[in-house]
Amino acid sequence: MRTGSYSRRIVISRIMECVIFFFAFISLLPLTLILFYLAKKGMAAIDWQFLTHLPRPVGEEGGGVVNAIVGSAILIFCATLMAVPLGVGAGLYLSEAKEGKLSYWTRVAVDILQGSPSIVMGVVVYLWVVKPMQSFSALSGSIALAIMMLPMVIYSTEETLKAIPCTLKEAALALGVPYYRTILKVVIPAGMSGITTGVLIGVARIAGETAPLLFTAFGSPFLDINPLKPVAALPLVVFNYATSPYPQWWEQAWGASLVLTFLVLCLHLTAKIGTRRWKIQF
Amino acid sequence: MENPILITENLKAYYGNHLVLKDINLEIPRLNITAIMGPSGCGKTTLLRCFNRLHELSPGGRIEGQIWLGDTDILSLDPIMVRRRIGMVFQRPNPFPTMSIYDNVIAGYKLNGMKLSRVEADEIVERALRGAALWDEVKDILHRRGTFLSGGQQQRLCIARALAMNPEVILLDEPTSALDPKATAHIEELLISLKSRVTIIIVTHNIGQAGRIADYTAFLYLGELVEFGPTERLFTAPKDRRTEEYLSGKFG
Amino acid sequence: MKQLSDTLFNAVVRSCAIGTLILVSGLCVTLVIHAMPVFRHSGLSFLFTSTWDPLRQQFGALPFLVGTVITAVLGVLISLPFSLSIAFFLGEYFPSGKLSIFFQSATDLLAGIPSVIYGFWGLFVVAPFMQKIEIRLGIMPYGVGIATASIILAIMIVPYTASIAREIIKLVPSDLKEAAYALGATRWEVVRHVVIPYAHSGILAGILLALGRAIGETMAVTMVIGNRNEFPKSIFDPANTMASVIANEFAEASDDIYLSALIAVALLLFLFTTVMNMFGRFVIKKLTVRQES
């Protein structure tokens, strides 16, 4: 350590503290700005018609995004339905078989999946589903989203179940309960809150995803719940409208952005409150 | 010994290649309290976990030899059937956190998918909780979570949970080591009152506790059964030098 | 003796793990197989030439590689002072209390906003602002371009780097810090000479993870980078990244070789991010294990 006069060192320490505080506070500026614009422009676009009507062609006043809201709901629901059983199963395997080759490589695979860019999922699911079926579809969109969600579900299941004391499992086994019943009726219920939180965070993540949907769900101006047809989604609407040349659509994009952000933040909030509220004492 | 309930013959237990119990030959007397004592790491918990075959679930856990329950070797049975006949209470109270007190008591039935009528269930719960001397304290809060109880009450709930299955033997693995002295005394009284109904095997590292409640005591040292006999005889006239040293506090 | 249902249950659980493994390996294999045609067609010039003209079947992905690296590195560099300040603020100066909770929630919020909304906001708020700056500087006022994309990326990755770095900073044993305080060090000297040396490899790993994320970020970048398939000459030029070119052209790729070229770009992107991720995770895992043992 360089030695300087004591007061000088105090001053330097003070200055650095101010610099750190300054940068930390400045980094909140974009958040404030984004929320400000979303609130200002989004509120202006949202009314009852916006939430309940189908889009209208350019030039016609009004129109809404109900197809995108319903489409997003379908996509998220189907993706959750696919990702949760597989993810919980894999997480369970990892928490039970901590060592071993299969666990090691599965963990590596999950890490890779977690770090992969979402557009890559879109490309792969296009090749797997869209190309053989020769049509964009809600199904392919949900598969892409399910793959995005899978790592979150696996991580949270594994972490939650690992934290459950081993004695709980032994208590059930010592009562003569078969292993599979012990897991299904004692271990999983005890970890339910953690797993649910993980699923909610996963849903929040995929709800805002656009890139995997570009060449899978594709978007559609109609309200259609056939899983083999293209379907609209809120993030797709934001993207398509925002990059269109029509100011009228830009306004709608602000409205859709506000709805989407609100939805995602609500999911995060629920997950956060849920973590505290549903916590189980051991 | 007359009419023993559990007999081990050349019982060996391993963790991987590590031998933790060496040729244990032991006869556990029926409807008595038997204490298993010894310094930590001597294998006493492992021995207990052999009796209900929980040891096999530890990584690398393996058992050799015979354990006779009546005239069947439990090592040839389905572990699940063994565990329904031999109950266990653990070191730390571990009621099921997602279940009410009521459901905790009949957990053995519920989790095994055995159907009970309302009346049967009520009867089993009351009998088990009375047996565990917990009924008066919890009879009005049966449908609250078991984890809200105090440590001593939770442990008695775990004893009730084991009793509800009507086991022939109950294994207790240092059941009072996580409890305060008052709760400990309560549990000890309870065990003495239970021994007319069920055979009790208790692992303890507390010499005083063994002296207070056990009819018979086994002393284990480094995986070997050093000495076994009536508690009074073992405490007053130990035959082996190691037992004497342990009792006088030289190690452990 | 094992019950049948237990065996069945174990098989189901195991197959979930195997399924995940197959999914990921299938993903890699699919990318490789479908990327092969373009490598057969253009060979290594795919990586090292800079003409991307699908009509004449010329596929040189160099502009996208360069565009991606410049945008991502610039984004990370811009974000560093902010993310590290937040990390020190939360990890060292205010580890608990109301202010900490406020900051924590704010950064969580920032991390939770979908990327398409960052892109939208960037297009309508940041790009016009950049245009004004570019007019001042007397250069082509595109508004959109590498610089705009980097700024948006920087905003997006601040919470990510900050949370990793904060966790690492919290791992610094307090007795080490106390020892330095006991010797009369000031707070900054403790940070500078104890915390940073102890945490620097973890922070670097966090930066690497953030870089991986910046490289893979698609929507926000696609919306503000200008989408021009030429070699960028300045940081204010419009360009394309690997992710943005896929997002823009994949749906309209008409012939097989064009599609294969875009899939090859996806493969490169996948390899880039995976290598960074694995390395970053490896370092962080090692650090955490050292702490626990």
Side-chain angles (χ1 to χ4, degrees), chain A residues 9 23 93 128 180 261 272, chain C residues 6 14 30 108 117 184 189:
Chain A
R9 287 166 49 205
F23 275 108
Y93 182 83
W128 280 352
Y180 80 99
T261 311
K272 206 158 210 187
Chain C
D6 272 358
R14 204 180 155 82
T30 308
D108 283 354
I117 287 172
E189 283 162 352

Side-chain angles (χ1 to χ4, degrees), chain A residues 167 170 173-174 176 181 281, chain B residues 49 80 83-84 94 97 111-112:
Chain A
T167 54
E170 289 189 336
L173 290 171
R181 275 179 170 275
Q281 264 187 302
Chain B
R49 290 164 64 95
I80 286 168
R83 291 179 199 140
R84 287 182 193 171
N94 54 359
L111 293 175
N112 278 311

Side-chain angles (χ1 to χ4, degrees), chain C residues 163-180:
Chain C
S163 78
I164 297 173
R166 194 196 77 217
E167 291 306 315
I168 300 286
I169 288 168
K170 276 193 173 164
L171 286 178
V172 179
S174 56
D175 48 349
L176 270 187
K177 288 188 276 182
E178 277 160 17

Side-chain angles (χ1 to χ4, degrees), chain A residues 17-270:
Chain A
E17 201 173 315
C18 291
V19 169
I20 286 176
F21 286 16
F22 174 76
F23 275 108
F25 276 99
I26 287 292
S27 42
L28 295 185
L29 194 65
L31 177 70
T32 333
L33 282 175
I34 292 174
L35 293 181
F36 169 74
Y37 274 95
L38 275 178
K40 192 180 108 189
K41 302 227 174 178
M43 285 303 214
I46 293 180
D47 51 26
W48 185 241
Q49 196 191 23
F50 181 77
L51 296 173
T52 54
H53 278 66
L54 286 172
R56 297 220 178 114
V58 187
E60 269 181 57
E61 278 296 304
V65 293
V66 67
N67 57 331
I69 295 175
V70 173
S72 270
I74 293 174
L75 286 168
I76 292 169
F77 179 76
C78 296
T80 312
L81 224 55
M82 286 184 257
V84 168
L86 185 63
V88 170
L92 182 60
Y93 182 83
L94 292 181
S95 73
E96 289 292 297
K98 292 186 186 71
E99 316 275 310
K101 268 210 174 110
L102 179 59
S103 301
Y104 177 80
W105 287 109
T106 308
R107 280 195 193 99
V108 171
V110 178
D111 282 353
I112 290 178
L113 209 54
Q114 168 80 354
S116 299
S118 52
I119 186 98
V120 174
M121 307 302 166
V123 169
V124 170
V125 173
Y126 173 86
L127 295 171
W128 280 352
V129 186
V130 177
K131 219 175 164 197
M133 291 176 62
Q134 300 199 321
S135 160
F136 298 110
S137 60
L139 177 72
S140 58
S142 334
I143 294 177
L145 292 183
I147 299 177
M148 295 297 303
M149 190 179 169
L150 195 58
M152 318 289 245
V153 180
I154 295 181
Y155 282 141
S156 64
T157 307
E158 187 190 354
E159 291 307 316
T160 312
L161 296 189
K162 261 189 189 164
I164 291 174
C166 180
T167 54
L168 202 66
K169 203 165 84 188
E170 289 189 336
L173 290 171
L175 287 169
V177 181
Y179 175 76
Y180 80 99
R181 275 179 170 275
T182 305
I183 297 291
L184 290 181
K185 304 248 164 158
V186 175
V187 177
I188 300 247
M192 209 40 143
S193 68
I195 297 173
T196 316
T197 310
V199 170
L200 280 176
I201 293 176
V203 169
R205 180 182 171 188
I206 62 168
E209 277 294 347
T210 320
L213 298 180
L214 286 175
F215 351 109
T216 53
F218 194 71
S220 144
F222 311 110
L223 187 60
D224 195 346
I225 49 170
N226 182 348
L228 299 178
K229 286 269 179 66
V231 70
L234 277 172
L236 277 177
V237 165
V238 175
F239 177 63
N240 290 333
Y241 281 13
T243 49
S244 78
Y246 314 114
Q248 184 202 340
W249 278 9
W250 298 343
E251 272 166 38
Q252 301 242 319
W254 282 113
S257 299
L258 184 59
V259 174
L260 181 60
T261 311
F262 182 72
L263 178 82
V264 170
L265 295 185
C266 279
L267 283 165
H268 272 291
L269 204 66
T270 320

